[in-house]
Amino acid sequence: MRTPLTELVGIRHPIVQAAMGYVSGPRLAAATSNAGGLGLIASATMTLAELDHAIAETAGRTSAPFGVNLRADAPDAADRVKLIIAGRVPVASFAQAPAPGLIAALRDAGVITIASVGARRHAEKAAGWGIDAVIATGNEGGGHVGAVPTGLLIPQVAGAVDVPVIAAGGFFDGRGLAAALAYGAAGIAMGTRFLLTSDSPVADAVKRVYLAAGLDGTVVTTRVDGVPHRVLRTTMVDQLERAGGIGGLGGLGGLGWLVRSARNAAAFRGLSGMSWPEMLRQGRALRRGTGRRDTELTWAQVLMAANTPVLLRAAMVDGRPDLGLMSSGQVAGLIEDLPSCAELIGAIMTEAQGCLDRVATVRSV
């Protein structure tokens, strides 16, 4: 199947494996790329040395195009861009709003750039900065999400920009790919569906929790880190929701959460290599938000935001769904198996072609 996405990146199938912290490493990214899609390494939870090693390992596992996902607001974002360029990585994607300077540096080196967006205005701004493609994620997706459903967001974004649009949020099969193409997208990106494959490094115990979830098994909450975040419903998440978040837990309960948060923040500092002053500087910037009172975060929420990588690691790396945070799209409620990436992509393409053939038969003569 040829689309503007496959032509741009040089892949066989218009399918992208979304970047997921502690999940999207060399093993999953290479398996996706070898199957004809585009695998992405999630670098936000990696040190520079770990990213350098991940790039080399992925290149050793596949000769097909792959990419690295990074945060433009990371203190060492420029150094990460240098690693991407030095490692001859074909694609760089941005987890949040990209920076024009980073886009320019990557494009000058021949690296294809992709930005994640949740609204038309974000896509228009990124396209104006020279981005090569955008991943537009609807409310059904996992992790940090916007408020607009995928079925409304994709046609709006596709009609607003001239770069390829990759649809994300709620995709898991060939019917979804066919629908995305009809909306004007050039392909789809999937996170939860790739997490639930045999090539995913996530522990079987955690995968079973995902597979057991129903369509009502996720919730979008601001109680974790102050911004809308779709996660699997767990005892911890339910407790946060009932209590109104960390800041709403009073008395001994609040003190207990504060102590736990402080311990996790210390653990995150150790994992990230950041100094306490740097964490405080980032915390102050995050707390200020945009300067509006309704977007400012409390110090409790700032502390939880620093905890988020530790909570994700507890589930995705340590295999402890009872202690960890599990980002998830709503599609978890529709997934029942754990195919390999090759089996998954092959099935999606076969089903999508069948859908397109059926649609062709209803054309008026």
Side-chain angles (χ1 to χ4, degrees):
M1 185 178 291
R2 295 180 62 182
T3 75
L5 173 62
T6 63
E7 295 295 297
L8 173 68
V9 183
I11 53 179
R12 298 197 309 274
H13 308 304
I15 298 174
V16 177
Q17 164 249 303
M20 298 167 281
Y22 298 116
V23 178
S24 308
R27 172 177 160 185
L28 183 58
T32 301
S33 292
N34 283 331
L38 177 65
L40 294 179
I41 300 169
S43 78
T45 53
M46 296 179 180
T47 64
L48 278 174
E50 288 171 338
L51 175 57
D52 192 20
H53 182 271
I55 290 172
E57 182 179 345
T58 306
R61 286 172 175 257
T62 182
S63 59
F66 68 93
V68 169
N69 179 265
L70 70 156
R71 290 177 57 114
D73 61 347
D76 58 357
D79 293 327
R80 291 173 185 267
V81 166
K82 291 177 182 177
L83 281 181
I84 291 170
I85 294 172
R88 300 183 181 274
V89 179
V91 178
S93 68
F94 292 91
Q96 294 182 332
L102 298 181
I103 294 174
L106 288 161
R107 293 197 68 186
D108 287 346
V111 180
I112 296 166
T113 58
I114 302 175
S116 295
V117 301
R120 180 179 65 184
R121 66 182 184 277
H122 300 152
E124 291 172 335
K125 182 176 291 187
W129 289 337
I131 207 77
D132 293 307
V134 296
I135 297 177
T137 305
N139 178 256
E140 297 94 321
H144 294 123
V145 295
V148 183
T150 302
L152 300 179
L153 179 66
I154 303 308
Q156 183 188 45
V157 172
V161 297
D162 293 327
V163 299
V165 175
I166 304 160
F171 296 100
F172 68 104
D173 63 4
R175 295 170 298 178
L177 173 56
L181 296 174
Y183 279 136
I188 59 173
M190 304 182 296
T192 306
R193 176 66 275 197
F194 275 109
L195 185 153
L196 293 173
T197 61
S198 60
D199 293 306
S200 164
V202 175
D204 289 342
V206 175
K207 290 178 181 178
R208 286 195 293 270
V209 175
Y210 276 90
L211 292 174
L215 282 174
D216 60 350
T218 65
V219 61
V220 176
T221 179
T222 60
R223 307 305 189 188
V224 173
D225 53 12
V227 291
H229 194 151
R230 186 179 292 281
V231 296
L232 284 184
R233 289 184 180 275
T234 63
T235 300
M236 181 181 70
V237 172
D238 287 342
Q239 287 175 346
L240 289 178
E241 285 286 285
R242 287 195 300 269
I246 296 297
L249 289 172
L252 292 176
L255 179 60
W257 277 107
L258 186 61
V259 170
R260 178 178 178 182
S261 298
R263 288 173 179 166
N264 283 342
F268 175 51
R269 189 189 73 83
L271 288 171
S272 66
M274 294 169 57
S275 66
W276 281 111
E278 178 60 34
M279 286 190 70
L280 289 173
R281 281 194 295 271
Q282 289 200 28
R284 290 192 186 99
L286 182 61
R287 189 169 185 258
R288 284 195 298 269
T290 63
R292 293 169 46 201
R293 291 184 61 84
D294 61 343
T295 59
E296 290 181 353
L297 303 181
T298 65
W299 276 112
Q301 289 171 321
V302 169
L303 193 55
M304 279 305 294
N307 288 335
T308 301
V310 177
L311 297 174
L312 286 170
R313 183 183 177 89
M316 302 306 164
V317 178
D318 300 335
R320 292 295 304 272
D322 55 325
L323 298 178
L325 185 69
M326 291 170 284
S327 298
S328 176
Q330 284 185 296
V331 294
L334 298 174
I335 297 173
E336 299 176 343
D337 57 352
L338 298 170
S340 68
C341 288
E343 291 168 340
L344 173 63
I345 291 177
I348 288 175
M349 296 310 302
T350 298
E351 186 177 33
Q353 190 59 60
C355 290
L356 295 174
D357 290 342
R358 285 195 298 274
V359 170
T361 65
V362 303
R363 253 189 255 164
S364 60
V365 179

